């Protein structure tokens, strides 16, 4: 198991509070920076999945990306909190305190330590297209339901991806999205809806002199 050195920052790396039976969305990423497209996905998945809460998991760094110029975890967590107004959405950098390097570690910890919560992993369609590259992606899909939200230009690639083909038997219709959180894994839904063309990489490129 690959672990990073634990990094504990008061007010940044604590796990959000929750209660038995809650339906909780997990939306992970670097959020460098957070933008309106992220907020749209949060709003839509909260509503469409009928979640009680959504946890924004700000990662120490993406193993599939160059993190050399990544702002500090505390800076990104604070920026995300400043951008979010819905009290049901909580932002945390708790993965750093656990030393987690991969999503499967986060998912295993949460589902095992809080087995009486109903977690749903939330990702954009662009992430589904590359999901087969994630460390132990099959274990993630077997551990909790997944909601995939449409992204401009990524739909065809996502639905033709290796992960989508492998999990084809577990896909449910959008009409049943409110039931996803309580379904046994593997189960996933592809959500169509409002879209934003914004991306963190484009915003960073525009900021670079």
């Amino acid at each position: 198991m690959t672990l990073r050195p634990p990094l504990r920052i008061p007010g940044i790396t604590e796990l959000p509070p929750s209660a038995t039976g809650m339906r909780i969305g997990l939306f992970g990423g670097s959020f460098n920076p957070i933008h309106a497209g992220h907020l749209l996905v949060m709003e839509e998945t909260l509503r469409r999945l009928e979640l009680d809460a959504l946890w924004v998991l700000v990662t120490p760094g993406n193993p599939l990306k160059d993190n050399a110029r990544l702002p500090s975890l505390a800076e990104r967590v604070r920026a995300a909190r400043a951008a979010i107004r819905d009290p049901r959405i909580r932002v945390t950098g708790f993965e750093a305190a656990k030393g987690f390097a991969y999503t499967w570690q986060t998912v295993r910890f949460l589902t095992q330590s809080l087995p009486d919560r109903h977690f749903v992993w939330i990702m954009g369609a662009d992430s589904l297209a590359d999901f087969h590259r994630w460390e132990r992606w099959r274990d993630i899909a077997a551990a909790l339901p997944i909601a995939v939200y449409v992204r401009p230009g990524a739909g065809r690639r996502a639905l033709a991806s290796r992960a989508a083909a492998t999990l084809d038997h577990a896909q449910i219709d959008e009409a049943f999205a409110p039931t996803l959180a309580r379904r046994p894994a593997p189960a996933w839904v592809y959500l169509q809806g409002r879209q934003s063309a914004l991306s963190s990489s484009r915003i960073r490129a525009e900021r670079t002199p």
Side-chain angles (χ1 to χ4, degrees):
M1 178 189 298
T2 302
L3 291 174
R4 292 188 172 94
L7 174 64
R8 294 179 176 82
I9 308 172
I12 298 294
T13 55
E14 293 83 5
L15 199 63
S18 62
T20 298
M22 286 182 68
R23 292 165 295 183
I24 303 170
L26 304 173
F27 189 31
S30 301
F31 300 100
N32 178 32
I34 193 166
H35 55 71
H38 293 134
L39 301 180
L40 184 152
V41 174
M42 295 176 203
E43 294 167 1
E44 287 294 299
T45 52
L46 266 169
R47 181 178 63 84
R48 301 273 294 280
L49 302 177
E50 297 184 2
L51 301 174
D52 299 304
L54 189 149
W55 293 355
V56 177
L57 310 179
V58 181
T59 66
N62 188 329
L64 298 177
K65 296 180 180 179
D66 180 5
N67 300 302
R69 302 180 65 181
L70 189 66
S72 73
L73 176 67
E75 182 179 346
R76 288 178 287 125
V77 167
R78 293 188 182 108
R81 288 175 177 170
I84 293 168
R85 296 289 178 264
D86 193 321
R88 295 172 297 173
I89 303 175
R90 306 296 291 268
V91 183
T92 177
F94 95 95
E95 290 168 303
K98 297 295 181 182
F100 294 157
Y102 299 105
T103 296
W104 71 264
Q105 296 167 320
T106 300
V107 167
R108 186 178 68 172
F109 170 78
L110 290 174
T111 55
Q112 290 184 357
S113 61
L114 297 169
D116 52 1
R117 276 65 162 171
H118 303 284
F119 291 109
V120 176
W121 188 261
I122 296 168
M123 66 169 71
D126 53 333
S127 293
L128 177 64
D130 296 323
F131 191 36
H132 63 280
R133 298 177 59 207
W134 294 25
E135 189 84 7
R136 295 176 61 166
W137 66 275
R138 295 174 187 268
D139 290 343
I140 298 170
L144 80 178
I146 296 172
V148 180
Y149 196 84
V150 63
R151 284 289 304 275
R156 181 174 297 179
R157 192 166 66 95
L159 294 175
S161 68
R162 177 180 169 186
T166 301
L167 299 170
D168 178 68
H169 67 286
Q171 184 177 4
I172 68 170
D173 189 271
E174 276 188 277
F176 300 109
T179 71
L180 183 67
R182 295 185 180 275
R183 287 178 179 261
W188 67 285
V189 66
Y190 188 85
L191 297 174
Q192 301 278 359
R194 296 185 296 138
Q195 300 179 50
S196 169
L198 287 173
S199 72
S200 295
S201 57
R202 180 180 298 179
I203 293 172
R204 291 196 302 273
E206 292 173 351
R207 290 178 177 177
T208 302

